[in-house]
Amino acid sequence: MSVLSISVRPNRMTCWVLSWFLFAAGICLYLYTAQKRHKENPDDRVVPTLAQLGAGIYQAAMNPDADEEPAADSAGQSALERFRNGMLWKDTVASARRFLYGLALLFPAVLLGLHMGIFPYFGVFFLRFILFFDKIIALSVLPILFIAFGIDELSKVMLIVIGVTPTIILDTFNLTKSVPPEQVVKGFTLGARDFDVAYRVVLKQIWPRVLNSIRLNLKPLMLFLFAGEMIASTDGLAYRIALLRRHMGMNIIIPYVLWVALLLFLVDLTMRLLNKRLHPWFREA
Amino acid sequence: MKSRRAWLGLMLLVGALPLAAQKPAFTVGWSVYVGWNPYYYMAKSGIMKKWADKYGITIKVQRFDYAPSLEAFVAKNIEACAMTNMEALDMPAAAGIDTTAIIVGDYSNGNDAVLTRNGVTFKNLPGKKLLLVEKTVSQYLFERGMAMNGMESQIKRVHLVNTSDSDIAAAFIADTSHEAVVTWKPLVSQISKTPGVTNIFNSSQIPGEILDLTVVRTDVLNRPDGSGQKFAKALTGAWYETMGLMSAKGPATDKVLAAIAEGSQDSLPSYKEQLSTTHMLFTPLAALQLATSPEMKQKMTLVKTFCFNHGLLGESTKSMDEVAIRYPDGSVEGKSDRVRLRFEKAYMQAASEGKL
């Protein structure tokens, strides 16, 4: 039974077929269901057909949100202009901005984790509190967040911060602790000062692992971003999904979901390639 | 001895199983709302079972959150559901599920309201932010209010902030930079208690436009074995028996109302307060009069126009006529081959004549 053999090497063709098989099966199952449901009920909106999806994608990409004030001259615009005024692009920009704020705020968290791991006073001061803070389920304190930060951008970014940064801080802390103490000692004997050791010996070593940890946390980050946008917002990818859910606009929801998946995949890929390029000596990624 | 009794019990059970399975079973879904909480009482008090037994069927009463109840109805997981006229149009009807409203239970008569602080009125709303759950009766109420105050052309200049109903009260009360909100009771009562908040428009100014219905899938009603008809009759019978208890004069009524309030973990005073802004159609006659009145058609047209303008009938729906409504007098609004929502008076009429 070669399928269960560890030492087999499937050939190129087999690899290609096998790795795409589940995609093909999923698409076939979807198309079959869509066709079956439309035979029963031609107006079905739960499982849109390919044609409906296509129309949905076109509408989302090219047309502005119907509730918006119409632009002055929407007729004479080029395709690119129409795309840039379309709701998909505007929603993507709005969500991307919040995503980048959230991502940017993870870097101070990394520094805090590093300092906690290396400077005992920092560690003593923060560790217990952050261990506690880490266990707070961010979604459960939403009403408090709204009261404290309003319902505009700040509360959404804070939701991401509360949800994701404790994990990053603690992970960086643990990575810092795992650097062999001999290296720290060696650094000192070679004449390094405290900050040289912290940034040039320890941080430099753990950085690729920290980047990996951030990559793993992209999904929770998106999750909190979506939760925030679904609860109170005027634009954004999750805002649109929440609105369309109210009348089963699956022909746009499904393209949106796939679009988000694609974007997230690209961000992840970029970070992975960047990590490889910056740290060619690192072999775990 | 003991084991023999156990055997006997088991045999009885096994014997009863196929019997129970032969009875046609139906599920009615409801969600927490002053006008739908009676379903909780109907199930708990055994009224529903009594009527189901009378017609030889089984009726399960299932509580949902509102949106999932609509989704379950559209997905044909439940046979009947409590929903507003607007959602009946934009969820099942627009998704091609032929739907029949068999009970018109009540209409919102102040339950939904536009609340503002700092003396903001419709005149100075444009350019300001408005918290609400978009694409629901809240937005409908807001647009009707704007239209009735001569501000129709300015509607798109108000910045809508889509805010989940679970957090809208806290968000508005805490953040005083937001000056206007549209929501429904009991949230309205909560927000109204905040100093400086005024109620500038509410559903009592558009009576009979936000209707709360009990709808059944038309294909269920038309089942060849007639069980769907029985289901509708049993449901209507149980509903109006409960309505009778709710509207009776005397000390027993408070007990019934308290039991109904329990359905949403509410207290009797709070439930009564909500009832005061709900125009309950306690008798089948009152419901029948409303359902067959000429104003009903005008009001449904207003709601349908709103749904169409906001794309709630589906982006591919090119014309309002593609989702047609059939009224009790047999007239059809829209294309007669695309009737998706029907108002059926037969059951309410039978109830009013005592023929259920």
Side-chain angles (χ1 to χ4, degrees), chain B residues 34-323:
Chain B
V34 47
W36 298 329
N37 278 14
Y39 275 113
Y40 168 82
Y41 180 75
M42 279 149 77
K44 203 181 134 215
S45 64
I47 293 177
M48 189 64 96
K49 189 175 181 323
K50 190 183 90 184
W51 282 88
D53 288 347
K54 182 177 171 183
Y55 284 95
I57 55 173
T58 312
I59 300 180
K60 202 177 142 210
V61 179
Q62 168 102 45
R63 195 191 76 80
F64 287 88
D65 280 347
Y66 189 45
S69 77
L70 302 171
E71 281 158 11
F73 185 78
V74 172
K76 302 192 177 182
N77 291 330
I78 55 177
E79 284 75 26
C81 188
M83 63 181 74
T84 71
N85 51 344
M86 191 169 136
E87 269 83 24
L89 265 177
D90 69 37
M91 290 287 280
I97 309 282
D98 196 328
T99 303
T100 302
I102 59 163
I103 301 171
V104 182
D106 68 274
Y107 61 78
S108 171
N109 197 24
N111 274 337
D112 300 83
V114 184
L115 306 166
T116 60
R117 51 163 63 97
N118 306 337
V120 169
T121 65
F122 281 111
K123 294 272 178 273
N124 41 26
L125 258 184
K128 290 199 162 63
K129 284 185 179 170
L130 176 68
L131 307 189
L132 80 172
V133 188
E134 276 185 51
K135 316 260 179 190
T136 61
V137 289
S138 290
Q139 195 173 350
Y140 177 77
L141 181 79
F142 155 70
E143 293 196 0
R144 290 283 291 136
M146 288 291 276
M148 287 169 78
N149 284 277
M151 298 289 288
E152 201 163 5
S153 58
Q154 304 286 310
I155 286 174
K156 288 195 173 179
R157 291 200 47 228
V158 180
H159 302 300
L160 306 184
V161 181
N162 185 41
T163 313
S164 160
D165 52 321
S166 51
D167 297 291
I168 198 166
F172 183 76
I173 292 170
D175 189 344
T176 49
S177 70
H178 289 101
E179 294 181 301
V181 61
V182 190
T183 186
W184 53 81
K185 282 202 176 168
L187 301 171
V188 167
S189 320
Q190 228 173 309
I191 297 173
S192 297
K193 284 178 199 148
T194 318
V197 170
T198 45
N199 185 325
I200 63 164
F201 191 76
N202 64 61
S203 51
S204 71
Q205 283 149 285
I206 51 165
E209 290 183 28
I210 303 174
L211 297 173
D212 298 305
L213 312 168
T214 295
V215 304
V216 182
R217 282 206 323 272
T218 308
D219 66 320
V220 171
L221 284 180
N222 294 339
R223 276 186 192 165
D225 62 354
S227 63
Q229 299 272 346
K230 288 180 187 162
F231 170 54
K233 284 178 184 164
L235 206 57
T236 315
W239 177 265
Y240 285 110
E241 181 175 338
T242 312
M243 289 298 115
L245 295 175
M246 280 175 77
S247 56
K249 300 266 179 291
T253 311
D254 273 2
K255 266 192 188 161
V256 173
L257 292 180
I260 292 175
E262 217 177 82
S264 54
Q265 312 276 301
D266 216 342
S267 65
L268 179 62
S270 157
Y271 187 70
K272 277 185 162 174
E273 198 263 337
Q274 292 167 51
L275 266 184
S276 70
T277 49
T278 310
H279 189 101
M280 291 299 292
L281 301 161
F282 283 124
T283 65
L285 203 61
L288 204 56
Q289 274 168 1
L290 183 92
T292 53
S293 68
E295 295 87 55
M296 167 90 169
K297 293 182 192 174
Q298 294 164 13
K299 286 166 184 171
M300 282 308 293
T301 309
L302 281 172
V303 175
K304 200 164 118 180
T305 312
F306 171 86
C307 291
F308 179 69
N309 288 343
H310 289 279
L312 297 176
L313 299 182
E315 278 80 17
S316 53
T317 307
K318 299 279 178 295
S319 144
M320 258 174 62
D321 293 336
E322 285 184 29
V323 180

Side-chain angles (χ1 to χ4, degrees), chain A residues 206-235:
Chain A
I206 63 168
W207 192 232
R209 285 196 184 84
V210 169
L211 276 180
N212 269 344
S213 160
I214 291 178
R215 269 178 55 209
L216 285 177
N217 277 291
L218 285 180
K219 239 171 96 174
L221 200 153
M222 269 319 253
L223 197 68
F224 288 116
L225 174 61
F226 267 44
E229 285 187 354
M230 280 191 177
I231 281 161
S233 123
T234 56
D235 50 11

Side-chain angles (χ1 to χ4, degrees), chain A residues 103-147:
Chain A
L103 202 60
L105 282 170
L106 294 184
F107 289 92
V110 170
L111 288 185
L112 180 60
L114 174 79
H115 283 225
M116 279 165 57
I118 251 187
F119 300 109
Y121 274 107
F122 271 84
V124 171
F125 187 74
F126 284 110
L127 184 61
R128 188 170 297 236
F129 181 72
I130 289 177
L131 275 173
F132 156 77
F133 200 65
D134 182 51
K135 302 297 172 287
I136 303 264
I137 308 295
L139 288 177
S140 63
V141 293
L142 263 181
I144 302 175
L145 284 186
F146 285 139
I147 290 166

